[in-house]
Amino acid sequence: MAETVTTPVTADVYVEVQQFYARQMRLLDGNDFAAFGATFTEDAVFTPAGVATLEGPALISKAAEAAAGRFDGGQPRHWFDMLTVESGDDTALHTAYYAVVSITSADGSNRLEQSVTVQDVLVRTEAGLRTGSRVIRRDDHSAAEAAG
Amino acid sequence: MAETVTTPVTADVYVEVQQFYARQMRLLDGNDFAAFGATFTEDAVFTPAGVATLEGPALISKAAEAAAGRFDGGQPRHWFDMLTVESGDDTALHTAYYAVVSITSADGSNRLEQSVTVQDVLVRTEAGLRTGSRVIRRDDHSAAEAAG
Amino acid sequence: MAETVTTPVTADVYVEVQQFYARQMRLLDGNDFAAFGATFTEDAVFTPAGVATLEGPALISKAAEAAAGRFDGGQPRHWFDMLTVESGDDTALHTAYYAVVSITSADGSNRLEQSVTVQDVLVRTEAGLRTGSRVIRRDDHSAAEAAG
C-alpha cells in the first residue's frame, strides 16, 4: 500500500476515531442511511470493493441502503480491528483497519461475510470528524487473484 | 435509544473502561462466576435479553453460571466492538457496544452466537469501576420483530 | 494465570500497543514473514500452542510461513480483543488478549479457527516496541482438557 509521510497520533485522537467509527457503524447497522451518509464530507469519495466510486453523502447513503438488501431481514453488525491512525502533512487523519460484517437472523444463526481491509481519510470539520475518503478491498477478491 | 445528556471522556477513561471489560469478560469466560458477579455493584440491575431483571452480584453470578450451561463444554469468548463511553451529569459512565460470543469446541470448531447490543452504566467505587446497570438486546429478537 | 506485580499503563502506551499489534498482524496476514519476524527481539521466545518453543526472528518467521500453509489460498485475518496492558517492575509491558483467525476463501466464505488466549511481554527498543515473549493457549485444547 502506498503511504504518505505520516506520524502517530495521540491516544486522545485514536480514541476519538474509535468512537467516530462506533457511531458511524451504529447508524449503518441501524438502517439510518441518511445519517450514515452525513458522516461523510460533501466531496467524499467512497470506493466500495468492486463497485464504481461514489461521491457525496446522497449517493453514499443511497448505495448503503441498496447494499443492505443483501441482509434479507437479518441484523448486520460491522466489526473493526487492527486500526492504525496517523496524521499526514495535511490536517487529515489516515486510518487503516480490518472489517467484517456478521449477520444475525431471526432464527438465531449468525454468519460472517468475507473480511475486508479499509483505508480512510478522515477530516476535521466544525461538526466533528467526517470521512473524506474510503477505499475497501475484499479479501475474497484478493484470494481469487492470488489463486490466479 | 433514549440518551441522557453526556459528554465524551478522555482517552485515559476510555482505555480504563476497555481494560475493565477485558478483565470482567475473562472472569466470565473463565467460569469464575463469583468474581464476575463482584464486578457489579451491590445494587446493580442486570437485564439480560428476554429474561427478568436480576439485582445484585449474587443473583447475577448465579444466572451467569446457569447461562454457561449452553456452551456444553465448549470454551466461550466474548468479543466487544464499537464501544462508546460518555460521562453523564452524574459521576457515572454510560457505555454502549456490540457483543458476540464465540464457542470453541474440543474438536476445534468455533461457532458464533447471535450478536447483541449492550448499554451499561459504570460507576466508580473505591475498588475501581463496577457495572451498576446492564441492558442487553439480542439481534435475533430484533430481526424477528422487524419481520413482524 | 500467574501474574507478576504490575501497574496499569497510560492511554498513550495502551494505544501504542494496539497500533503495534495492528502493524504486526498486517505483516503476518500479508505473508510478509520476514518483516513479521523482525517485530520480535533477537532473543524472543515464542511458544505457539502445542508446538515446541521457537527462539529468535529467523525461526519465528520460518514457523509463521509454514503455519500459513493451512490457509490453503484463503486470506487470513487475525482479530484481537480483551486486551490488557500492564507495566512490570522492569521496563517491559505485559499484555494479555483473546485472538482468533478468520479465513476468507475466494468463493466469499469466511470461517473462524478456534479461539486462543495470548500472553506477551513487549520490550521497548531503539526501533520501537518488539515482542520479547509470546505464549499461546488454544481454546480447543482447553475444552478437551476440561472434558477429561
Side-chain angles (χ1 to χ4, degrees), chain A residues 11-13 15 18-19 21-23 25-27 29-30 73-81 102-112, chain B residues 1 8-12 14-15 18 79-86 96-100 112-117 139-140 142-144 146:
Chain A
D12 280 324
V13 172
V15 165
Q18 286 181 299
Q19 301 208 65
Y21 284 136
R23 294 196 179 86
M25 289 302 111
R26 271 186 229 159
L27 294 173
D29 293 333
Q75 174 62 59
R77 295 290 170 199
H78 282 72
W79 306 84
F80 288 3
D81 202 10
S102 69
I103 305 159
T104 292
S105 300
D107 66 5
S109 65
N110 190 1
R111 67 181 180 84
L112 292 178
Chain B
M1 289 182 277
V9 298
T10 62
D12 280 324
Y14 190 87
V15 165
Q18 286 181 299
W79 306 84
F80 288 3
D81 202 11
M82 302 304 167
L83 171 69
T84 52
V85 183
E86 295 177 323
Y97 51 94
Y98 294 176
V100 69
L112 292 178
E113 292 195 317
Q114 72 287 337
S115 56
V116 303
T117 55
D139 284 335
D140 52 340
S142 306

Side-chain angles (χ1 to χ4, degrees), chain A residues 2-130:
Chain A
E3 294 190 34
T4 52
V5 176
T6 54
T7 52
V9 297
T10 63
D12 280 324
V13 172
Y14 190 87
V15 165
E16 182 186 5
V17 169
Q18 286 181 299
Q19 301 208 65
F20 169 74
Y21 284 136
R23 294 196 179 86
Q24 187 183 53
M25 289 302 111
R26 271 186 229 159
L27 294 173
L28 180 58
D29 293 333
N31 292 333
D32 193 346
F33 302 110
F36 170 72
T39 64
F40 289 78
T41 59
E42 285 304 317
D43 61 351
V45 177
F46 185 12
T47 310
V51 182
T53 293
L54 305 160
E55 189 170 334
L59 288 179
I60 291 168
S61 170
K62 195 174 164 186
E65 185 165 6
R70 73 186 191 275
F71 302 131
D72 197 28
Q75 174 62 59
R77 295 290 170 199
H78 282 72
W79 306 84
F80 288 3
D81 202 10
M82 302 304 166
L83 172 69
T84 52
V85 183
E86 295 177 324
S87 55
D89 44 14
D90 46 15
T91 61
L93 299 173
H94 298 257
T95 74
Y97 51 94
Y98 293 177
V100 69
V101 176
S102 69
I103 305 159
T104 292
S105 300
D107 66 5
S109 65
N110 190 1
R111 67 181 180 84
L112 292 178
E113 293 196 315
Q114 71 286 337
S115 56
V116 303
T117 55
V118 189
Q119 285 189 290
D120 279 359
V121 179
L122 304 181
V123 295
R124 202 172 287 286
T125 74
E126 287 185 9
L129 289 178
R130 293 289 178 269

Side-chain angles (χ1 to χ4, degrees), chain B:
Chain B
M1 289 182 277
E3 294 190 34
T4 53
V5 175
T6 54
T7 51
V9 298
T10 62
D12 280 324
V13 172
Y14 190 87
V15 165
E16 182 185 6
V17 169
Q18 286 181 299
Q19 301 208 66
F20 169 73
Y21 285 137
R23 294 196 179 85
Q24 188 182 52
M25 290 303 112
R26 270 186 229 158
L27 294 173
L28 180 57
D29 293 332
N31 292 331
D32 193 346
F33 302 109
F36 170 72
T39 64
F40 289 79
T41 60
E42 284 305 316
D43 60 352
V45 177
F46 184 12
T47 310
V51 181
T53 292
L54 306 160
E55 190 170 334
L59 288 179
I60 292 168
S61 169
K62 195 174 164 185
E65 183 165 7
R70 74 187 191 276
F71 303 131
D72 197 28
Q75 174 63 59
R77 295 290 170 199
H78 282 73
W79 306 84
F80 288 3
D81 202 11
M82 302 304 167
L83 171 69
T84 52
V85 183
E86 295 177 323
S87 55
D89 43 13
D90 45 15
T91 60
L93 300 173
H94 299 255
T95 73
Y97 51 94
Y98 294 176
V100 69
V101 177
S102 69
I103 305 158
T104 293
S105 299
D107 66 4
S109 65
N110 190 1
R111 68 182 180 84
L112 292 178
E113 292 195 317
Q114 72 287 337
S115 56
V116 303
T117 55
V118 189
Q119 286 188 289
D120 279 359
V121 179
L122 304 181
V123 295
R124 202 172 286 285
T125 74
E126 287 185 10
L129 290 177
R130 292 290 179 269
T131 304
S133 165
R134 174 163 296 170
V135 178
I136 303 180
R137 292 181 181 81
R138 279 174 59 157
D139 284 335
D140 52 340
H141 294 178
S142 306
E145 286 162 19

